[in-house]
Amino acid sequence: MAGMELVSDQGYRIDGRKPSELRRIRCNMGVFTQADGSAYIEQGNTKVLAAIYGPHEASNNMRNRVCLDRGFVNCEFSQATFSSAERKKRSRGDRKGRDISAHIKQTFEAAIRTSLYPRSQIDIYLQVLHSDGSLYCACVNAATLALIDAGIAMKDYVCACSASLTKGSSLIDINHVEELAGCAEFSASILPKLDQIIYSELNGRIHQDELGLLVDAVSTGCRDIFAVIDQFVRSRLAETASYFTHS
Amino acid sequence: VMCDQTMCIPGERLCSSEQYQAGRGTYVRHGSVFATLAGRVERRKESGDNLLLIHVQSVHSQQLVPEIGAIVICKITQLSSSYAKCKILSVRGSYLNTSFRGMIRKEDVRSTNRDKVEIYKSFRPGDVVVAKVLSLGDASCYLLSTAENELGVVIALSENGDAMIPLSHDQMQCPKSLIKENRKVARPQSDYLSF
Amino acid sequence: MAKVILGDSEKWFIIHGIQDDLRNDGRSCDDYRHIEVETGVISNTHGSSRLRLGNTEVMVGVKVELGTPDPHSPNDGLIHFHVDCSPNADPSFQGRGGEELSSNISCILTRIFNNKTAIDLSTLGIIPHKQCWVVHVDVLILECGGNLFDAVSVAVKASLHNTGIPNIQVTDGDEGTQEISLPDDPNDVKFINTNNCPLLVTISKAGSRHIVDATADEESCCNASLVVGVTRRGRTMGMRKMGEGSLDPESIPEMIETGKNIGRQLHIALDKLLKVEQGMANDIEKVGYL
């Protein structure tokens, strides 16, 4: 894929987007009945389901992770064997899966008010149905919605977005093809209303001066994602609340 | 209760912490009260406080965890000479999807004659008990107490499997066999058992 | 599977209801719950489907790839089943927790499809001994609300029906070798014939009667059940007794008979739906989880 033009001379990307344009986001909350909270998000072709169980008493194999003064987050990331272009042999437990699980756990331990749930465990399960780049980001956004659905106290929303750098300009919400191009990739999670970065990761090599550009691009992207999610949550809230007032 | 129709989402700034006292579903940061849940904002006058309490009522079902001082309903699972172990089934009147482990130590069974308490004469496995959370305990279970008149056994089956009727603070009777059994019987109060 | 723990009186209530042909959700013993099926939901696959049966949620993705045929049947293609239980369905599936259930389901699928008539595997052959199509059917279990086997089999049939295999050109190359070329147009495909594709019907014994499509609550009251593979014409293709309880030999033919009837009806309903959906092709927007 090296040498491929990520942005055309006219300023459009391979899938026809502008460099600072997100893919279409569609989401839903409460898609499952058995989990304590669940959500679904689509960012372009990347489709992720999230389920939350808990807070509950620590399961037997997690006993050593119990904290007396706060709750802990247990996260597992699974990717359906049919989700990627090439069929995967294993759906979870591979290096990439463990990596993403660890990052999501870290992200949400910073965002959940864990001190309200002493000695408890909160499970975040993520299932990728279709993977087309920015998996970590879609997972974080799905988990945020699922945590809201589960009624778990959070400091703020968590919104995540990725960005890449080509020829000195930034591209946000990168898809699978753009990931393959091998440019530097930066992803971050922010608390949009408190304006704090709680997770950031950079793969690849960039010039130090360009980092600011990427951080700006990602924060703008996160804010745009926040606007979409916020609108959805508010309309759902109003809908749910209207059942209470009429009955 | 003042309940305006404003909705909030996690992280939303609700007001200054000088204006209102932060209640459930909120937290204070840099002198402002922020929401932690998605739900309805309620402002309430608490007796004795001059500040109004602001809290957020989630519209989504919420999993509760036992907290210190909360009234819980539990079922006795295991007895020993010094403690009774139990499963916590509900907290503050709301049913839990998954139970938490709890323990009632011998010294927390009653408030009087503490040194004469015998666990076997207070509980039996399968009894349903109303208790109060004393502390978060050690890593494996919550410490509970029944050392109040309103706390103790509320449902118990006799050896034949019939629901027994309370006779006094320490006895229950099987309506069929008329056998009396010893229990730490609760005098349930409506504030303690609200469903 | 989400463990349902019922008290004795709850169990008796359910069993007595079944005895009177009135179940907790108002169905009679032979009624199925509402089924929601959608095909072509994942564009990364050659065929896919999503199914919701009560609270049971299943997703199936089919991918075909080129491979070498089995030496015992050099002219045929291959079909593999793989089942994955997502921890979204139950926290106990985390890590390797769901493997027992997964292998259980994939075994029974392999068994009912391991039959010359179920899917004509010779249509998947390309060059004998050298090249054939390998069909990977990947089942993802997203929520367990009872009757998982039937749900999986319906979703598998729907996804296979939706699976397009690229029309391949075999040309004779130099020195007796054969070369294959894939079509340029991704829509140049032939669909798998699913006319004889079996469906599983689980018949659970509760008290002296048997029920189909048991919910999770009902499953915890029934300790013996029979899983039967049934074709569209009502032929049985494999059978398995499940659960720790025992069955009276006389009740087995009766249960199989019920299974065949229900299976036939299920096939008719599903075929009708798939036909309608195929007719609408790309005009409709997929609902998915939105």
Side-chain angles (χ1 to χ4, degrees):
Chain A
M1 287 280 175
M4 197 167 72
E5 291 288 321
L6 288 185
V7 181
S8 72
D9 296 338
Q10 287 77 30
Y12 290 102
R13 290 153 74 174
I14 297 163
D15 54 6
R17 281 185 287 159
K18 296 212 181 92
S20 62
E21 192 178 339
L22 293 172
R23 293 177 285 180
R24 173 167 75 158
I25 298 176
R26 297 199 290 176
C27 47
N28 196 3
M29 267 158 99
V31 286
F32 294 134
T33 49
Q34 278 162 12
D36 295 314
S38 58
Y40 170 73
I41 199 162
E42 259 180 47
Q43 291 187 233
N45 267 334
T46 298
K47 296 172 184 169
V48 179
L49 278 169
I52 306 291
Y53 286 87
H56 58 83
E57 189 166 58
S59 42
N60 285 332
N61 51 350
M62 304 277 173
R63 276 287 144 85
N64 51 347
R65 287 169 58 187
V66 174
C67 312
L68 286 180
D69 54 343
R70 60 194 168 85
F72 70 94
V73 175
N74 165 46
C75 174
E76 188 160 81
F77 168 86
S78 344
Q79 199 175 345
T81 44
F82 51 78
S83 63
S84 48
E86 280 285 301
R87 182 177 179 270
K88 286 173 67 79
K89 290 223 160 51
R90 288 177 73 185
S91 56
R92 67 186 84 96
D94 56 346
R95 196 196 58 79
K96 188 185 167 197
R98 283 204 305 269
D99 214 32
I100 294 192
S101 305
H103 292 165
I104 290 172
K105 172 178 144 56
Q106 185 203 330
T107 308
F108 283 98
E109 281 192 338
I112 295 174
R113 300 252 299 148
T114 50
S115 58
L116 292 177
Y117 310 106
R119 295 196 9 216
S120 309
Q121 172 181 349
I122 296 170
D123 296 317
I124 302 178
Y125 294 118
L126 294 152
Q127 176 74 54
V128 175
L129 300 177
H130 195 155
S131 90
D132 187 18
S134 302
L135 281 186
Y136 165 81
C137 306
C139 286
V140 168
N141 298 332
T144 300
L145 284 171
L147 284 165
I148 293 174
D149 186 43
I152 289 175
M154 284 193 290
K155 287 183 199 146
D156 193 353
Y157 277 50
V158 190
C159 292
C161 184
S162 60
S164 183
L165 206 60
T166 180
K167 287 189 225 153
S169 67
S170 54
L171 307 177
I172 65 161
D173 191 18
I174 56 180
N175 66 23
H176 184 59
V177 179
E178 289 164 341
E179 265 179 5
L180 287 178
C183 297
E185 185 188 334
F186 180 73
S187 19
S189 293
I190 68 164
L191 302 178
K193 287 191 292 309
L194 303 180
D195 203 16
Q196 301 273 314
I197 293 185
I198 53 170
Y199 169 86
S200 76
E201 192 195 17
L202 174 73
N203 296 318
R205 197 183 69 161
I206 57 163
H207 192 274
Q208 200 184 325
D209 296 348
E210 292 172 324
L211 188 62
L213 192 70
L214 277 179
V215 173
D216 286 348
V218 164
S219 348
T220 318
C222 288
R223 258 167 253 283
D224 291 346
I225 292 173
F226 167 69
V228 177
I229 295 181
D230 184 47
Q231 196 194 0
F232 167 76
V233 173
R234 282 184 192 275
S235 69
R236 180 57 67 90
L237 259 178
E239 210 177 287
T240 320
S242 67
Y243 298 141
F244 284 94
T245 43
H246 293 310
S247 61
Chain B
V1 180
M2 276 157 58
C3 174
D4 49 9
Q5 283 301 308
T6 35
M7 292 295 184
C8 67
I9 53 161
E12 190 169 314
R13 186 185 174 278
L14 299 173
C15 56
S16 152
S17 63
E18 286 166 9
Q19 249 175 310
Y20 289 98
Q21 201 188 334
R24 259 170 207 240
T26 62
Y27 71 106
V28 181
R29 185 172 179 272
H30 295 330
S32 294
V33 180
F34 291 91
T36 61
L37 300 170
R40 210 176 9 223
V41 184
E42 284 176 15
R43 294 175 172 86
R44 179 182 298 171
K45 180 91 181 154
E46 288 283 290
S47 56
D49 278 321
N50 23 4
L51 279 181
L52 282 173
L53 187 77
I54 188 160
H55 71 121
V56 178
Q57 188 65 45
S58 175
V59 295
H60 297 281
S61 64
Q62 222 180 331
Q63 267 287 5
L64 291 172
V65 291
E67 52 199 286
I68 294 173
I71 299 293
V72 297
I73 296 177
C74 53
K75 199 168 194 172
I76 304 291
T77 53
Q78 193 189 338
L79 297 182
S80 87
S81 57
S82 55
Y83 60 81
K85 285 203 167 180
C86 59
K87 284 195 300 191
I88 302 173
L89 303 175
S90 100
V91 178
R92 294 189 191 278
S94 71
Y95 180 75
L96 298 171
N97 280 342
T98 52
S99 62
F100 287 87
R101 264 172 284 205
M103 186 205 268
I104 306 169
R105 292 180 304 180
K106 192 174 154 186
E107 49 272 37
D108 300 322
V109 173
R110 327 189 270 244
S111 49
T112 53
N113 287 336
R114 281 173 190 238
D115 40 346
K116 290 201 180 121
V117 172
E118 282 178 80
I119 287 286
Y120 301 100
K121 287 189 176 170
S122 308
F123 305 111
R124 284 290 161 89
D127 288 0
V128 176
V129 173
V130 177
K132 199 176 231 171
V133 180
L134 209 57
S135 86
L136 302 181
D138 57 3
S140 62
C141 40
Y142 287 87
L143 281 185
L144 308 177
S145 161
T146 55
E148 278 176 42
N149 286 340
E150 292 77 13
L151 305 174
V153 177
V154 282
I155 300 172
L157 300 183
S158 69
E159 280 183 34
N160 307 331
D162 298 306
M164 293 198 290
I165 295 161
L167 290 180
S168 67
H169 72 284
D170 61 356
Q171 268 192 331
M172 291 180 107
Q173 187 179 35
C174 172
K176 287 201 182 140
S177 63
L178 303 180
I179 294 171
K180 289 174 188 167
E181 290 186 26
N182 290 319
R183 291 289 197 284
K184 160 64 173 104
V185 182
R187 198 174 60 202
Q189 298 288 311
S190 57
D191 323 353
Y192 281 60
L193 284 172
S194 52
F195 288 103
Chain C
M1 217 168 287
K3 216 103 193 111
V4 182
I5 300 164
L6 293 183
D8 282 343
S9 34
E10 287 172 293
K11 281 189 183 174
W12 281 115
F13 183 81
I14 291 175
I15 292 173
H16 286 156
I18 291 169
Q19 227 66 325
D20 297 336
D21 200 17
L22 182 64
R23 290 153 74 178
N24 276 3
D25 44 13
R27 288 183 289 158
S28 73
C29 288
D30 295 343
D31 280 345
Y32 242 74
R33 283 172 290 179
H34 178 73
I35 308 185
E36 215 176 278
V37 189
E38 195 177 18
T39 59
V41 283
I42 301 287
S43 58
N44 249 346
T45 58
H46 292 91
S48 59
S49 66
R50 179 185 78 85
L51 174 135
R52 190 162 185 91
L53 169 67
N55 276 341
T56 302
E57 180 89 40
V58 174
M59 194 165 226
V60 181
V62 183
K63 273 184 183 291
V64 295
E65 53 186 37
L66 291 168
T68 36
D70 185 11
H72 298 294
S73 49
N75 298 321
D76 296 346
L78 296 168
I79 183 161
H80 292 303
F81 293 95
H82 176 263
V83 180
D84 183 21
C85 299
S86 170
N88 279 31
D90 192 305
S92 69
F93 293 156
Q94 189 173 356
R96 301 175 148 258
E99 276 181 11
E100 194 185 325
L101 179 64
S102 299
S103 63
N104 222 335
I105 299 176
S106 56
C107 277
I108 200 156
L109 283 175
T110 310
R111 185 170 308 175
I112 58 164
F113 278 91
N114 183 13
N115 185 313
K116 278 265 176 286
T117 53
I119 294 269
D120 187 3
L121 293 178
S122 64
T123 58
L124 301 173
I126 303 169
I127 307 169
H129 293 287
K130 291 223 176 74
Q131 207 109 68
C132 70
W133 286 115
V134 182
V135 179
H136 289 281
V137 182
D138 291 317
V139 181
L140 181 63
I141 291 167
L142 292 166
E143 192 165 23
C144 304
N147 204 15
L148 209 49
F149 288 78
D150 299 17
V152 167
S153 74
V154 173
V156 164
K157 181 177 171 177
S159 65
L160 283 173
H161 183 267
N162 179 243
T163 302
I165 294 180
N167 275 320
I168 224 163
Q169 297 291 323
V170 182
T171 46
D172 286 324
D174 307 334
E175 293 153 16
T177 55
Q178 285 170 306
E179 282 174 4
I180 51 173
S181 54
L182 287 163
D184 297 329
D185 178 9
N187 290 326
D188 185 9
V189 290
K190 66 168 190 274
F191 287 96
I192 292 182
N193 182 348
T194 52
N195 279 345
N196 287 318
C197 193
L199 290 182
L200 290 170
V201 180
T202 309
I203 306 108
S204 310
K205 186 94 183 171
S208 61
R209 290 187 78 139
H210 49 255
I211 52 169
V212 295
D213 190 25
T215 60
D217 286 0
E218 286 165 342
E219 272 174 0
S220 70
C221 311
C222 305
N223 45 16
S225 58
L226 212 56
V227 185
V228 191
V230 187
T231 64
R232 203 159 65 129
R233 277 184 259 163
R235 303 229 167 94
T236 51
M237 301 249 231
M239 180 186 94
R240 186 154 151 199
K241 194 233 132 202
M242 307 286 290
E244 71 270 38
S246 52
L247 286 174
D248 176 10
E250 281 154 29
S251 64
I252 291 180
E254 223 177 278
M255 286 164 79
I256 294 180
E257 202 49 48
T258 313
K260 276 157 78 172
N261 281 330
I262 299 294
R264 261 201 303 259
Q265 290 170 30
L266 207 55
H267 270 291
I268 292 170
L270 180 64
D271 288 344
K272 200 167 137 193
L273 184 131
L274 291 174
K275 210 169 172 182
V276 171
E277 205 180 23
Q278 201 174 26
M280 295 199 281
N282 301 321
D283 306 342
I284 42 166
E285 179 126 29
K286 300 293 173 200
V287 183
Y289 295 97
L290 294 170

